[in-house]
Amino acid sequence: MALVAGIDSSTQSCKIVVCDSTTGKVLREGRAPHPDGTETDPAHWWSALTTASSGLLDDVSAVSVAGQQHGMVVVDEDGEVVRPALLWNDSRSAGAAHDLVTELGGPKAWTDAVGNVPVASFTVSKLRWFAEHEPELAARAHGVMLPHDWLTWRLNGSRTAPTTDRGDASGTGYWSPADNTYRPDLLVRAFGRELDVPRVAAPAETVGHTPEGAVIAPGTGDNMGAALGLGLRPGDVVVSLGTSGTVFAAHDRAVHDPSGAVCGFADATGGHLPLVCTLNAARVLGSAAAMLGTDLAGLDHLALGARPGAEGVVLLPYLDGERTPELPDAAGSLHGLRRDNMAPANVARAAVEGMLCGLADGLSALADQGVPTERVLLVGGGARSAAVRAIAPLVLAAPVVVPPAAEYVALGAARQAAWTLAGTTEPPTWTLGAPEEESAHTPEVGARVRERYAEYRRATHGV
C-alpha cells in the first residue's frame, strides 16, 4: 500500500493527512498553529509544517501542499525572504488595487487580460503597495512566490527553481487562466520592474523529491485543493465557511466577470474554478457569540429559537472590511432594531443569516456567469454549527449537503500527490462516505431575508 501526504497550510494552521493512495482512507493526521495576523515570516509556516509532520512522513511515497491563496512571499537573489509575507487578508493594498484597475482602463481590461479584477487580496496589488511603501526593501527583491510555492520549494530542499500550478497562479493577477501564460507586463506595471516567478507545472507533474526521496506534486491553492478533495461533479457548488467564505464550482471554461464579483480562477486539474470570496465567514459567529456573552453552542441555541428574518433585525457582517462587495474600510452594522425585537435570539439569528446572505450573493453571481447550482456542499468550520446547517437551505435557496467532516484541503493535496505518483491521466477516485446531513430548500422562506439584507446593504454602502 503506497502512502501519500497532503499538507494544508492555511491562514491559521498547518494540517497534514496521510492517506492510502488507492482509497483515500486517512491513516494519520497532524497539525500545528500559525501566528495570527495579516503578515507573517514564512519561517513560521515551515516550523509549523515540521512540527505537524513529525513522524508522519517517514514512509510516504508522495506529498503535496495546498496553501492559502494570494500571499506575497518576496525573496532576494539568494532566496532569502525580504520581508514578512503579506497574506490574502491584509487590506492595506486596497488603494493599490484601485490604482491598478484604473491605470489599465477599468475592470473589463483586467478580466480580458487575466479573468480577474484586482482587489486588496491579490498578489499583484500587494506588489504595487510594496514597491510604493517600502522601496528600500523592494529594491532587494529578486523573485516572488505564493505560500504554497515557497513551501513546495522548501520541501524540495531549495535545490531547484520554484514551481507553482495553474490554480494558485490564477490568483496572482499576472497569470491568465484562459491563455495559460504569465502576463509579465502586468507584473511590471505593478512592481515597476521584472521579478522571477515560479514555473507553472502541469497538474500531475513531479516537481521534485524530498530529501527522503518522496515525490513532490505541484501543489495548489487552498480552494483548488478543497475542490479536489471533495471530488466536485457538475452542478455542485461549494460554500466553504472558514476564516473567509468562499463559493466555488468546477467549470469547463474560463469566466470573465467585469464586475469583479466572480474570480476567474483555474483549478488544479486543467479546468476552471470560478469563485466568489467574502472576508467574513465563521469568525462572524464567534464574534457574535462573544458579544452576546455566550459560546458557539449558545449562539446556535439562541439563533434556532428565533423566527426566520429575526423579526426584522439584519446584520451586515463586514467586521473585517469586505472583499465581495469590495468594501475594505467597512465595518459591521446592525439594522432594523426596535424595542420589541431587541432580543439576543434575534441578534444571534441575524448574525447567521447575515453571514449566509453574503454567500447567497455569491451563488447569484456564479449563476450570472452561467454556472449552475444543483446542490450546495457546505464545508469548513462554520458548517459544524447547528444553526448554520438549519438556516443555510433557507437563505441559499438550494438543497444543502453537509459532507462528512474532513480536512478537504489537505485531502485534495493528498489526492493530487496520489495522482502524481500514479502517473494517470485523471486523479484517483476516492469515496467521501455518506453525507452528515441533507436538507431540502424552501425558496420562498429565505427570499425576504435576502431582500432585507440587500436593502440595508444598498442603503448603507451603495452596492
Side-chain angles (χ1 to χ4, degrees), residues 72-439:
M72 183 191 78
V73 182
V74 179
V75 296
D76 63 18
E77 195 166 1
D78 297 322
E80 297 297 321
V81 174
V82 169
R83 74 167 325 280
L86 291 178
L87 308 188
W88 64 273
N89 57 348
D90 192 297
S91 61
R92 73 186 81 176
S93 48
H98 181 269
D99 291 346
L100 286 168
V101 173
T102 301
E103 290 170 14
L104 198 64
K108 187 176 186 303
W110 279 95
T111 54
D112 287 348
V114 291
N116 290 292
V117 180
V119 291
S121 52
F122 281 25
T123 319
V124 71
S125 307
K126 299 182 187 303
L127 285 172
R128 168 61 69 88
W129 180 90
F130 182 38
E132 289 182 340
H133 289 81
E134 298 178 345
E136 292 184 4
L137 288 174
R140 293 175 49 202
H142 181 76
V144 60
M145 289 181 259
L146 298 165
H148 114 257
D149 307 339
W150 187 81
L151 285 167
T152 300
W153 183 59
R154 286 294 306 267
L155 279 172
N156 197 26
S158 308
R159 294 188 296 268
T160 59
T163 56
T164 190
D165 87 304
R166 294 176 69 255
D168 221 2
S170 66
T172 60
Y174 45 84
W175 188 86
S176 167
D179 299 330
N180 283 306
T181 186
Y182 278 113
R183 286 291 303 267
D185 58 313
L186 298 180
L187 192 153
V188 170
R189 176 179 288 276
F191 195 65
R193 62 180 174 85
E194 293 183 352
L195 290 170
D196 281 355
V197 291
R199 178 180 66 81
V200 180
E205 177 184 338
T206 297
V207 299
H209 294 81
T210 67
E212 294 74 27
V215 166
I216 302 176
T220 193
D222 52 2
N223 293 297
M224 298 78 192
L228 261 180
L230 287 161
L232 297 190
R233 67 191 192 197
D236 286 346
V237 178
V238 176
V239 172
S240 178
L241 304 175
T243 304
S244 64
T246 52
V247 183
F248 59 87
H251 202 45
D252 60 358
R253 59 180 174 81
V255 167
H256 301 269
D257 178 11
S259 76
V262 179
C263 298
F265 293 151
D267 72 0
T269 69
H272 298 274
L273 196 81
L275 178 148
V276 179
C277 180
T278 68
L279 286 184
N280 299 279
R283 289 195 292 192
V284 172
L285 306 179
S287 298
M291 182 181 74
L292 293 169
T294 186
D295 56 13
L296 291 173
L299 185 81
D300 280 348
H301 178 75
L302 287 169
L304 291 171
R307 293 197 297 268
E311 296 187 55
V313 179
V314 174
L315 174 68
L316 300 182
Y318 306 149
L319 307 183
D320 291 309
E322 190 47 82
R323 167 174 165 173
T324 308
E326 188 181 2
L327 299 167
D329 299 319
S333 52
L334 270 172
H335 300 267
L337 291 173
R338 301 184 309 273
R339 280 186 299 159
D340 61 353
N341 68 7
M342 289 182 66
N346 287 329
V347 174
R349 178 98 188 190
V352 177
E353 290 180 344
M355 178 193 70
L356 288 170
C357 278
L359 297 161
D361 287 346
L363 288 175
S364 297
L366 287 182
D368 290 343
Q369 296 301 313
V371 181
T373 300
E374 295 179 6
R375 64 173 185 165
V376 168
L377 302 181
L378 193 66
V379 301
R384 300 189 183 102
S385 160
V388 167
R389 293 185 186 206
I391 297 169
L394 308 180
V395 176
L396 301 179
V400 171
V401 174
V402 181
E407 297 293 349
Y408 285 106
V409 175
L411 272 175
R415 189 172 176 223
Q416 186 194 61
W419 185 16
T420 299
L421 185 66
T424 52
T425 56
E426 299 290 335
T429 300
W430 287 359
T431 302
L432 298 181
E436 292 186 357
E437 190 170 332
E438 295 186 63
S439 304

Side-chain angles (χ1 to χ4, degrees), residues 1-6 17-29 406 411 414-415 418 428-433:
M1 178 176 63
L3 302 182
V4 293
V17 297
V18 175
C19 303
D20 179 329
S21 65
T22 302
T23 66
K25 180 180 179 181
V26 176
L27 304 173
R28 301 194 293 266
E29 299 184 58
L411 272 175
R415 189 172 176 223
T429 300
W430 287 359
T431 302
L432 298 181

